Amino acid sequence: MSFAHLPRSREYAPEERLRVSLEFTNVCNFSCPFCPQAWRDEPTPAGAPYDRAHGMLGPEVFARAVDECQRVADTLEIGFFGEQTLHKRYVEYLRALKDRRFRLDLNTNVSFLTREMMDAWVDAQVDLVRLSLDAVTPSVFDRARPGRVRDFDGRLVEAGERMAVVNSKVEEWLARPDHRPTRLVFVKSSHNRGDELQRFVAHWQPKLGPQDYVLAKQVLSYGGKTADPLVRAHRCNVWELRFLMIDWRGVASPCNLDTNLDLALGSVLVDSIDSLYHGPRAQDLRRRTGCLRDLTPCRTCSDGNNWSFNETFENPAFAPRRASA
């Protein structure tokens, strides 16, 4: 696919390169209570809107974004909002990313994961696989992660089977000798309090390989769209982290919490990433954005990317190996 008619970004130096998220879809089969997806059809708890049109990433936006990322991205993360494995061309797109000049990360809720998708992760030499789980026991999983789950045969499973199916998929992935470095994510929220994190770590820690770990991270408000007693204040840091989100339509935003694209910079089908990220609109937003500033969604965002309470857990069996490396 040729983009000769479109402006191209200059080649970024390593210290300039961006962390780009490319949204395969903003559709999700889960409606987690700490995620704006759960509030799509009603006002969000903190007032920031979430009503962006649903859709799937087309081949033109995919090819253009990847072509631009070859020049400007340090990391391309598949995902921004929604469940990426719902995309019918998921495996095809992944395999097209094998020849790249950037790190490739991805994130999935595992619910519709297939063995073919696992093979594609290996074939594409994905640098980091994030599996968002947030629970290890069925009752907590049903509360924190409600939604449809399919087994490896494509069968929609009953409510009582959901956690067992998800856990079995993760266990099979971690047991593969060729599995890519993996992060098991546990979002700490009011929906999985008590000893669930301890149970989660105890279950998964012995199954982790030398490049795998559990990440327990703080729940966020997504720019003031969701509310939870565990949300804690934090300053905005999206510009210093050099984020760029590209949604399924090709629209770009500098904020990973801007799920409604209120801070849209423009489209990659019109401008280069370089001109979007450094152009007049971006310069104006650099002056105006920040937690509790008078701009949607900033005015309802008090926590930014608060990672100060994150915890990581590795398999202690590999600690001597890492220490001697």
Side-chain angles (χ1 to χ4, degrees):
M1 195 171 292
S2 173
F3 300 104
H5 62 293
L6 293 176
R8 303 175 80 226
S9 292
R10 60 185 173 84
E11 187 81 21
Y12 278 22
E15 66 274 10
E16 296 179 280
R17 289 191 166 245
L18 307 177
R19 182 176 186 89
V20 179
S21 292
L22 181 59
E23 181 180 76
F24 276 24
T25 181
N26 62 338
V27 175
C28 190
N29 55 304
F30 278 12
S31 55
C32 307
F34 52 82
C35 175
Q37 295 281 14
W39 305 93
R40 181 173 180 82
D41 299 321
E42 52 189 296
T44 58
Y50 178 60
D51 56 7
R52 180 161 55 97
H54 276 156
M56 300 279 174
L57 180 74
E60 183 180 18
V61 176
F62 173 76
R64 166 64 170 174
V66 171
D67 180 65
E68 280 287 286
C69 283
Q70 298 284 19
R71 292 180 288 279
V72 305
D74 169 77
T75 300
L76 176 64
E77 179 179 356
I78 301 172
F80 166 39
F81 215 50
E83 172 47 42
Q84 59 191 251
T85 61
L86 299 179
H87 202 294
K88 295 186 182 301
R89 303 179 77 162
Y90 183 71
V91 170
E92 174 191 339
Y93 283 176
L94 266 173
R95 289 184 169 145
L97 289 167
K98 185 172 183 178
D99 184 18
R100 62 183 185 271
R101 299 177 58 200
F102 44 76
R103 280 180 51 90
L104 180 63
D105 298 356
L106 59 83
N107 185 23
T108 173
N109 65 24
V110 187
S111 58
F112 281 19
L113 183 63
T114 66
R115 291 189 177 97
E116 183 185 19
M117 293 173 184
M118 291 182 181
D119 291 341
W121 294 350
V122 174
D123 291 345
Q125 300 179 36
V126 171
D127 293 284
L128 181 63
V129 172
R130 292 189 187 87
L131 305 180
S132 293
L133 304 175
D134 305 334
V136 73
T137 54
S139 60
V140 179
F141 188 66
D142 289 346
R143 182 169 65 247
R145 308 287 283 174
R148 295 173 299 157
V149 172
R150 293 186 185 274
D151 63 18
F152 275 136
D153 295 323
R155 180 180 64 94
L156 282 172
V157 303
E158 300 293 333
E161 301 176 81
R162 294 171 68 251
M163 184 84 271
V165 167
V166 167
N167 285 348
S168 68
K169 289 183 178 184
V170 178
E171 287 166 5
E172 181 167 325
W173 168 249
L174 293 176
R176 288 181 59 144
D178 61 353
H179 82 269
R180 306 300 297 163
T182 300
R183 178 186 299 174
L184 304 185
V185 180
F186 184 102
V187 175
K188 297 181 282 187
S189 75
S190 61
H191 306 283
N192 55 14
R193 299 182 80 169
D195 64 350
E196 187 67 6
L197 176 57
Q198 289 79 10
R199 288 173 177 265
F200 188 90
V201 173
H203 179 86
W204 292 115
Q205 203 169 28
K207 298 176 172 63
L208 300 175
Q211 298 184 80
D212 309 326
Y213 63 98
V214 168
L215 171 66
K217 59 187 292 188
Q218 197 71 16
V219 65
L220 300 175
S221 74
Y222 285 98
K225 296 179 185 69
T226 64
D228 192 284
L230 297 189
V231 170
R232 305 194 187 195
H234 195 255
R235 67 180 182 83
C236 177
N237 55 12
V238 296
W239 292 103
E240 63 198 67
L241 294 170
R242 300 197 302 278
F243 279 147
L244 187 74
M245 312 293 120
I246 302 175
D247 86 341
W248 64 270
R249 303 165 299 179
V251 178
S253 168
C255 178
N256 62 313
L257 305 175
D258 181 26
T259 55
N260 216 40
L261 275 292
D262 294 300
L263 306 176
L265 300 171
S267 172
V268 297
L269 294 179
V270 176
D271 293 308
S272 69
I273 286 180
D274 182 48
S275 62
L276 292 174
Y277 192 74
H278 295 286
R281 167 68 171 166
Q283 295 302 327
D284 180 56
L285 286 178
R286 279 182 171 85
R287 294 188 293 269
R288 298 172 61 203
T289 49
C291 288
L292 303 179
R293 301 287 294 275
D294 190 23
L295 186 70
T296 300
C298 305
R299 61 171 57 94
T300 53
C301 183
S302 63
D303 54 325
N305 287 290
N306 190 350
W307 300 330
S308 58
F309 298 95
N310 287 5
E311 301 174 82
T312 59
F313 306 87
E314 299 173 296
N315 187 338
F318 297 109
R321 184 186 304 180
R322 283 189 293 271
S324 62

